[in-house]
Amino acid sequence: MRRYSAFAVAREAARYHEGWARAWRSPEPKTKYDVIIVGAGGHGLATAFYLGRNFGITNVAIIEKGWLGGGNTGRNTTIIRSNYLQDPSAAIYEKSRSLYETMSQDLNYNVMFSPRGVLMLAQTEHEVRGYQRTAHANALQGVETEFVGPERVKELVPIISLDGPRYPVLGGLWQARGGTGRHDAVAWGYARACSDMGMDIIQQCEVIGIRKDGGKIVGVDTTKGAIDCDKLGVVVAGHSGTLAEMAGFRLPIESVALQALVSEPIKPCMDIVVMANTVHGYLSQSDKGEMVIGGGADGYNNYTQRGSFHHIEETVRALVETFPMVSRLKMLRQWGGIVDMTGDRSPILSKTPVENVFFNCGWGTGGFKATPGSGWGFAELVAKGHSPLCEDFGLNRFREGRFVDESVAAGVAH
Ligand code: FAD
Ligand code: PYC
């Protein structure tokens, strides 16, 4: 793979950009791989990358039913933070946040990580207490956050109205090293590096069956034929329940649509990310100037990758109270993704009842920020059978009642 650099950009500019190579190969599947990863979202690709980079396992196929990064990876609002309450969560999300800091250099691909800071507004007394508790927990975990008062909130976000009629702003949980990243670039960067290591990324290829022999994985059936493997990692977010059914067990997961929208581009007006979890709305400004707005999840299970008007109305109505300027914006686009929700709102990174089949799912509404950390830990689990980062996120926690409860603590109250 030829390295991307300022020199390469200048050279290609001089010859009409005709010398760029394709970023990744599109091979036909081989008959057998050491490891198959199902799902070329950020988490699947990151898993494959760290299998190669950290464990030297490169006879790997990543199988994707659509196009790589076309699932939730390309549909999220790109918020990156690690201000979780429970220790196992803080460990994996902080590992992830720190990997984002060097990701562009590690992948030789500009993922536009922007550590502009993330502020979670406290708009009820309950939220004030909750976020103060999280700030204390984060201090013990080595995660830098602080609870700030309304004056500091106004300094950080001058366009905010502190005196909302329903929910005045009482303070906020501030993580200065949180921020955003370009979600497609994360998938593309990992894909390019995986392809460069000799891994096969097979797009437009749906896994339709999982073959076992004596309780052990043998391979998968796909729309491009049967492919054998020694180990299988399933990383398919909202479709995890379907793949688990193919493998012969059930997962404690529900799939719902979560949606987002963007406004027309406007001049720079907000240089941090703000989340207003009580009213279910979050806001940041993209480099193009669009206001990126996230809303709530559907209240019923479904597999529809699109939004619904009542959510848009609800989200925008709520945000207008706190950000009156939103009322003057035209909205450009809206979309939805299918998120995989567990009861304790924590992920599943686990062995399964089928030998050498591993599942990585349950990231729900908050897995973009976890992409590199999840890949790092899950690769270790697949390669070695255990991983300190994944230990508390096994399937057995649901049977044994050892939940990692982030359902309200995570501050994404949907
Ligand atoms: P995906 O990117 O969905 O990848 C799974 C892949 O598996 C898909 O490409 C799919 O096509 C493929 N697949 C499924 N079934 C099969 C099959 N049978 N065969 C082959 N391939 C298959 N998180 C944050 O941290 N910050 C945010 O701001 C944020 N905002 C969000 C906003 C919205 C609107 C949505 C929908 C999500 C948001 N999230 C956010 C959550 C985040 O996007 C996800 O948790 C994360 O992207 C999941 O990544 P993934 O790689 O596991 O899944
Ligand atoms: O987890 O930070 C998050 C998030 C923001 C929007 C959706 N999820």
Side-chain angles (χ1 to χ4, degrees), residues 85-102:
L85 180 67
Q86 310 292 352
D87 291 350
S89 320
I92 196 162
Y93 286 104
E94 179 62 7
K95 170 76 183 168
S96 201
R97 195 202 54 74
S98 68
L99 286 169
Y100 265 113
E101 292 194 330
T102 56

Side-chain angles (χ1 to χ4, degrees), residues 25 27-37 57-63 198-202 217-220 226-232:
R25 295 170 296 108
E28 286 303 308
K30 296 193 278 198
T31 51
K32 179 160 191 246
Y33 293 90
D34 293 343
V35 179
I36 289 179
I37 301 292
I57 300 171
T58 55
N59 184 19
V60 174
I62 306 114
I63 299 183
M199 298 180 183
D200 289 351
I201 302 169
I202 300 157
I217 188 68
V218 172
V220 292
I227 313 174
D228 290 349
C229 62
D230 293 334
K231 292 183 179 179
L232 181 70

Side-chain angles (χ1 to χ4, degrees), residues 77 79-81 84 120 258 275 282 294 365-367 369 412 414:
T77 42
I79 298 172
I80 297 167
R81 57 186 174 85
Y84 283 72
M120 286 179 156
L258 177 70
M275 302 179 67
Y282 21 98
T365 62
K369 68 176 85 64
V412 182
H414 39 56

Side-chain angles (χ1 to χ4, degrees), residues 122-154:
Q123 293 180 282
T124 62
E125 290 297 342
H126 173 76
E127 270 184 324
V128 170
R129 280 195 298 274
Y131 289 148
Q132 284 176 340
R133 182 181 177 213
T134 303
H136 290 308
N138 289 164
L140 295 172
Q141 293 151 347
V143 176
E144 277 177 49
T145 63
E146 60 176 315
F147 187 82
V148 297
E151 305 75 29
R152 178 79 178 122
V153 170
K154 185 73 184 169

